[in-house]
Amino acid sequence: MNHVVRAVTGEDWQHVKELRLEALRDPVAGIAFLDTYESAASKPDEFWQARAAGSRGDMIAQQFVAERTDGGWDGSVTVLIERAGHQDVLCTPTTVDQAHLVGVFVRPERRGTGLARALFDAAIAFAHELDEPKVTRVRLYVHQDNQRAEAFYRKLGFTRSGHSVPVPGEESSVEHELVLG
């Protein structure tokens, strides 16, 4: 693997924007992301600058990327630290300090190369190495029709928790919560 997995900094905002827009063009974007290309493309530069800097209100957020030796990016995952007693990204109260992995994307030509695993390793290590809050749970959500992604998450040790939520704007579909065992 000719990549370095590293944390994104505020200076990376243009790369963050470019990779996210590419992810939203992916054929499975409709079931992988709760966003659309059109919506993301219309966001001002300030949005992308804040996103790269990790701004998420009270929440700790850190994006990790797989960067090639030429500086190009081939994948990404973001860790959101959800604190006990606060609302999570789905606006429901949390009872434990937990890491929520979102925005998982690897360019199609790089899938199956180990990049996704390396990104997850970095994200999970970041969550577990925090001094405050002490993360006791790592989770993510996967769309009911995204079997490929769920199979990958299972290989990493994630299992269904039994909790599901309706997909916003698509109430006939659900996202299953998976937790790291």
Side-chain angles (χ1 to χ4, degrees), residues 53-132:
S55 298
R56 297 283 197 286
D58 296 341
M59 192 178 299
I60 297 169
Q62 183 61 66
Q63 183 176 1
F64 290 88
V65 293
E67 184 175 33
R68 294 187 308 266
T69 55
D70 68 3
W73 290 6
D74 284 331
S76 174
V77 64
T78 298
V79 183
L80 304 176
I81 303 299
E82 300 170 329
R83 295 175 183 251
H86 295 265
Q87 289 190 343
D88 65 15
V89 296
L90 300 172
C91 298
T92 57
T94 60
T95 58
V96 298
D97 292 326
Q98 62 188 2
H100 186 159
L101 306 182
V102 299
V104 178
F105 176 70
V106 172
R107 292 183 192 273
E109 67 273 16
R110 301 287 188 216
R111 293 177 186 158
T113 65
L115 280 184
R117 180 176 290 277
L119 286 162
F120 269 72
D121 288 348
I124 293 165
F126 168 81
H128 285 301
E129 290 168 3
L130 285 173
D131 289 331
E132 180 61 34

Side-chain angles (χ1 to χ4, degrees), residues 1-17:
M1 179 172 77
N2 294 329
H3 292 80
V4 171
V5 174
R6 68 170 181 85
V8 167
T9 67
E11 293 79 37
D12 293 321
W13 72 269
Q14 290 174 309
H15 287 294
V16 167
K17 178 180 179 181

